[in-house]
Amino acid sequence: MENGGLVGFLDSGVGGTSVLALAERLLPGQPFLYLGDQKNNPYGEKGEQDIRRLVFEGLEHLLDCGAKALVLACNTATACAVDQARQRLPVPIIGMEPAIRPARQLAGDKPIAVLATPATLSLPRFDKLLAENGGQAYRVPCPGLVRMVEGGAQQGEMAQYVAGRLADCVPSGVVPGALVLGCTHFCFAREAISQAAPGVPLVDGNAGTVRQLARVLQKNGLLGKGGQTRVESTGDLAQERQLADMLARARRSLARPR
């Protein structure tokens, strides 16, 4: 195919646009279609069966649109449905998981803390991930943070929320060696999380996911050129515009000198 294979991205809302922006940067010209299931977010407060049903509905829509590879740009969706999706669907599927390994490497002998949705932290897939990487890890469920990012909350308000969650979940006096952003929405709250935990490195799984996507596309002859990015929402037009705005924000963040 001249333009390569269309890559479909699925997330419960705006969070996965942070992954999409990096994919655009590392795979220029690849055609992308992003579906934000804003009508049904947040996923992380739902039951496993409901999440799995919504994920399959979204993935099947992307396949109907011609996707040749799929990215679950959502840690909760991956934890609930990636194994079943790989068994049932006829295209390569890339999932996202909390970046425990790089966080452990940064933290050394110190514990880490994992900020994620209640669903992600409670599923067996997360337990397995912790067991594989060893060391001490504190689970910090942050259900309200997804809603705050979707609602456009200010960084100061989010910082106060995160500080409260850390105080509830990490013993007093313990400073983690790294914080894992185990939800793509939390990439849009980096400033707030840094305010709540000054000096602690933040680690997300975006780069690893995009590198795996690149490998899969190359292996399957789906690398593209001259393609474009489209975004769709299961919500209303205002929510679809929000997706486009957050994608633009993620692009600007990547372009900013670090």
Side-chain angles (χ1 to χ4, degrees):
M1 295 178 62
E2 182 180 349
N3 287 334
L6 177 67
V7 178
F9 273 68
L10 176 67
D11 183 40
S12 65
V14 303
T17 60
S18 63
V19 190
L20 175 57
L22 185 59
E24 290 178 324
R25 190 178 183 87
L26 298 184
L27 295 165
Q30 190 74 36
F32 295 110
L33 173 59
Y34 183 96
L35 178 63
D37 191 12
Q38 290 161 293
K39 179 181 178 182
N40 296 298
N41 78 23
Y43 282 1
E45 298 174 38
K46 291 179 167 57
E48 187 173 354
Q49 294 302 320
D50 285 338
I51 297 168
R52 191 171 294 139
R53 173 181 56 81
L54 292 169
V55 168
F56 271 98
E57 287 176 1
L59 293 180
E60 287 164 359
H61 171 76
L62 291 167
L63 288 176
D64 289 343
C65 292
K68 303 300 182 186
L70 298 167
V71 178
L72 284 173
C74 172
N75 290 269
T76 299
T78 298
C80 284
V82 70
D83 292 333
Q84 295 84 352
R86 285 171 175 159
Q87 291 169 5
R88 287 172 48 181
L89 301 180
V91 301
I93 300 172
I94 293 86
M96 289 202 74
E97 291 184 319
I100 303 296
R101 181 176 298 175
R104 284 251 48 91
Q105 292 170 346
L106 271 177
D109 294 333
K110 292 182 179 180
I112 63 173
V114 185
L115 283 65
T117 68
T120 295
L121 295 174
S122 66
L123 287 164
R125 193 177 187 93
F126 183 76
D127 294 332
K128 181 182 177 185
L129 192 62
L130 287 184
E132 289 172 349
N133 288 280
Q136 187 172 16
Y138 296 104
R139 303 176 197 228
V140 186
C142 296
L145 193 55
V146 173
R147 294 182 181 274
M148 295 171 89
V149 170
E150 289 283 335
Q154 297 297 309
Q155 293 292 326
E157 181 184 357
M158 292 191 286
Q160 186 175 9
Y161 172 83
V162 172
R165 299 304 300 132
L166 289 170
D168 288 342
C169 301
V170 179
S172 178
V174 173
V175 178
L179 295 184
V180 178
L181 307 187
C183 172
T184 53
H185 280 77
F186 299 172
C187 293
F188 291 106
R190 293 184 77 96
E191 179 184 335
I193 296 168
S194 290
Q195 288 177 24
V200 180
L202 307 184
V203 185
D204 65 61
N206 290 9
T209 300
V210 174
R211 286 195 296 268
Q212 176 63 11
L213 172 62
R215 287 191 289 266
V216 167
L217 293 177
Q218 184 170 26
K219 178 181 177 181
N220 289 275
L222 296 171
L223 285 172
K225 58 181 181 179
Q228 297 181 333
T229 296
R230 292 181 289 137
V231 297
E232 292 183 5
S233 173
T234 59
D236 57 29
L237 287 176
Q239 288 174 309
E240 190 162 286
R241 285 193 293 270
Q242 182 189 21
L243 287 180
D245 290 344
M246 295 300 272
L247 177 57
R249 177 177 164 185
R251 289 166 174 161
R252 291 193 299 271
S253 178
L254 288 174
R256 205 173 294 140
R258 295 191 180 263

